[in-house]
Amino acid sequence: MAEGSDDIQALIALMARLPGLGPRSARRVVLHLIRKRSGQMTQLARLLESVATSSRECLTCGNITDRDTCAICADPARANGEICVVEDVADLWALERGHAFRGRYHILGGTLSALDEIGPEDLGIPALIDRIRRDNIREVILALNATVEGQTTAHYILDALPDSNVTVTGLAQGVPIGGELDYLDDGTISAALRARRRF
Amino acid sequence: MAEGSDDIQALIALMARLPGLGPRSARRVVLHLIRKRSGQMTQLARLLESVATSSRECLTCGNITDRDTCAICADPARANGEICVVEDVADLWALERGHAFRGRYHILGGTLSALDEIGPEDLGIPALIDRIRRDNIREVILALNATVEGQTTAHYILDALPDSNVTVTGLAQGVPIGGELDYLDDGTISAALRARRRF
Ligand SMILES: [Zn+2]
Ligand SMILES: [Zn+2]
């Protein structure tokens, strides 16, 4: 037992399985927490316990929340006529950090996949169609990943949408702000060139 | 409040301050834990709480333990005549993973530093000298970092040791196993060349 106690070893092993960490970073984090006598470890334990107990999915949009309806769905200041469809909660968080969208969301929780037997129901697509009809949505933004799976799913939703006056849009593709051409993949450069615009 | 709840935001902020993490990895880890419905988060909370409560320093060597005397100091199978002096608990862990040393340890908890006002007492060097005398230590291995601070501290300990038949050694310097010369710093290459040996 090199690492101090059974609990320390178990803690390192558990942390090492977290995404982006590994045995080496897990050991560093645990040592750091043990050294900090300021109670950071206890605070972390308390927050993990609280989040584990209270986190659930918003019944309307699928966002992670500690209530039936998430803060975004409940916010009266946000536009009701726009739904932004994303694959994942992480995408919603990223868009919110951008402060560019002030409407509502729908989180699919994945993409369609015949191989993994993920169908439209698993992604809440029928519920999304209902919501678009019921809430008089004017614009649906399909903010799905620019991957084959993301785009296949976007096209499925496009076809499934009711024939109405709802506008369906997608995110623009191009060079990221601050992006150096040299570091971009070829697909992005081609897409940015095709979508070129006048100054 | 983009990230679901106040507690989720606080958890991400706390995790983002851990070594090797940042806001991005903290968000990924927290989302991963929320998604895992297997209770990984509760388990992590429980272990953090337990380690925070029970961790302390071994009264003999300074190792992190949940007892007065750590498992290494208490192990009757380990050699009593050898003490390996390390800067940090992380170094002890690294040496134990190597399974090459079967003696006892002394953890300094840092290096001598006039600037930071860290003197011999802060590193437990007088206690180390006492221990060497009292326990009839035959060999002291100064396994300090190959930095200026580490080597200054090693030389201080060397001078402070009693004039007796105790052998003082240091770790060999050279090319790491699997190390490619091209990727090594010049100092390591020079040291390895100076310490070259016959095949
Ligand atoms: Zn919601
Ligand atoms: Zn000990």
Side-chain angles (χ1 to χ4, degrees), chain B residues 57-65 68-74 92 105 107 131:
Chain B
E57 287 182 4
C58 170
L59 297 175
T60 308
C61 76
N63 188 12
I64 290 171
T65 177
D68 276 352
T69 303
C70 78
I72 292 174
C73 288
L92 182 156
Y105 288 94
I107 293 159
R131 201 178 151 198

Side-chain angles (χ1 to χ4, degrees), chain B residues 145-168:
Chain B
N145 289 335
T147 56
V148 174
E149 297 77 22
Q151 294 310 303
T152 304
T153 308
H155 281 107
Y156 178 89
I157 295 173
L158 199 57
D159 289 342
L161 282 174
D163 273 328
S164 62
N165 50 1
V166 61
T167 307
V168 187

Side-chain angles (χ1 to χ4, degrees), chain A residues 57-63 65 68-74 92 105 131:
Chain A
E57 287 182 5
C58 170
L59 297 174
T60 308
C61 75
N63 188 12
T65 176
D68 277 351
T69 303
C70 77
I72 293 174
C73 287
L92 181 156
Y105 288 94
R131 199 177 152 200

